[in-house]
Amino acid sequence: MNVDNWISDIINVRERCTMPIMTHPGIEMIGATVKDAVQSGEKHAQAIYELSKMYPSKAATVIMDLTVEAEAFGSSIAFPENDMPHILGSLVDSESIEGLQIPSLSSGRIPEYILANKMAVGMITDKPVFAGAIGPFSLAGRLYGMSEIMVACYLEPEAIALLLDKCTCFIENYCMELKRTGCSGVIIAEPAAGLLSNEDCLQFSSVYVKNIIDKVQDDSFMVILHNCGNTGQCTDAMISTGAKAYHFGNAISMTEVLKQCPGDTLVMGNIDPVGVLRMMSPEEIEKEVTLLLEQTAEYPNFVLSTGCDVPPCVPEENIRAYYNALSAFNRSM
């Protein structure tokens, strides 16, 4: 697929489309647990496929799992049955970074995620499939400890730069392999960069993300840069990466960020997946979605999405309400 044409078609068509970051409802549809899906590429792909048949999303997305790459480096991971995996402790400190080895793509669950993407591409033929990967600063924070890295950025910047170089190298290799599966792009999740100022985001995140983008992005493979931690202070740093699309969380004003982003890039967001989709009634959800669509109506590059990954246990009627609001808005245009 030519992703530039796909982007152009979205911008030039009057009706609005949606691409929620949503996999967990698919896991529930096939009767699997979260633990099943994050450990089995086959079950993961089946969940994506079933979900793609059920809802008219503009693209299919894989699980946003921010532990996969850290596990490949050697981090210990806990696997709850029906919640996302989480990291147990830190892996390195400033003294051990130099000895940290960049893992192969056969490490940990990386092969299962590559398999999930490859199978999903084979099964889903009517829309693009977007893979997922963690961003370099977010990965470094998981290896080093988030509180610790925030301090070390100022006290030991050279050590952190070395860690970021190693994280970036691995993510580049991983994204190149994901590209070979036939995916149309990758969502790089860099939420930890939202803790930084614009200047620090440039130094400790964006320059590394740009290196990845320069290596993997072309007219057949796009990068969607996701930062749900950004409240508006580091949007310029995100844009400096040159991604073809930017994805924002519910902590930011979509109308304000749309003013900043280039008109030829896609700007996605930002319905709260927990506070709105999981907690509100269908009627309230329709109102929230409609309001966002009305507020962003003058921006043809806006793509309705969730602010982050839709969590487990969201009622089906709530997801239907999200799509119903979009359909009703498009009929009214």
Side-chain angles (χ1 to χ4, degrees), residues 230-249:
N230 178 21
T231 59
Q233 86 284 359
C234 58
T235 302
D236 286 340
M238 290 178 65
I239 295 169
S240 73
T241 63
K244 290 182 184 287
Y246 302 97
H247 194 282
F248 297 92

Side-chain angles (χ1 to χ4, degrees), residues 10-17 293-294 296-300 325-333:
I10 290 173
I11 293 174
N12 292 322
V13 172
R14 188 180 180 191
E15 289 79 12
R16 289 303 164 91
C17 66
L293 289 168
E294 290 173 347
T296 56
E298 65 181 283
Y299 298 96
L326 175 63
S327 296
F329 180 82
N330 281 334
R331 288 194 301 269
S332 70
M333 293 180 69

Side-chain angles (χ1 to χ4, degrees), residues 80-215:
E81 284 293 327
N82 287 297
D83 202 354
M84 289 302 293
H86 57 269
I87 294 169
L88 301 172
S90 58
L91 183 67
V92 294
D93 56 24
S94 58
E95 295 181 356
S96 59
I97 289 171
E98 188 170 347
L100 181 67
Q101 297 297 306
I102 299 170
S104 73
L105 296 179
S106 62
S107 302
R109 288 173 292 135
I110 293 291
E112 293 299 325
Y113 272 67
I114 293 170
L115 175 62
N117 282 281
K118 186 175 182 178
M119 290 184 64
V121 169
M123 292 188 289
I124 300 169
T125 58
D126 62 336
K127 64 185 71 172
V129 174
F130 289 112
I134 197 171
F137 185 72
S138 298
L139 175 55
R142 280 155 176 76
L143 298 177
Y144 196 92
M146 276 313 306
S147 298
E148 292 80 1
I149 201 171
M150 294 299 291
V151 175
C153 283
Y154 301 103
L155 299 183
E156 301 177 279
E158 291 182 0
I160 298 307
L162 176 59
L163 178 58
L164 286 166
D165 283 338
K166 293 187 176 189
C167 291
T168 301
C169 180
F170 179 70
I171 295 167
E172 283 178 3
N173 294 339
Y174 185 29
C175 286
M176 288 301 296
E177 188 63 30
L178 292 170
K179 185 175 182 177
R180 283 189 278 269
T181 68
C183 288
S184 297
V186 61
I187 301 170
I188 294 181
E190 184 72 311
L195 300 170
L196 303 170
S197 67
N198 195 71
E199 181 180 350
D200 289 339
C201 187
L202 280 167
Q203 179 179 353
F204 295 108
S205 173
S206 294
V207 294
Y208 298 95
V209 173
K210 187 177 188 304
N211 286 340
I212 298 168
I213 289 173
D214 288 346
K215 289 281 183 66

Side-chain angles (χ1 to χ4, degrees), residues 18-32:
T18 185
M19 195 193 85
I21 309 298
M22 184 169 70
T23 313
H24 289 287
I27 297 170
E28 293 157 11
M29 285 166 61
I30 66 170

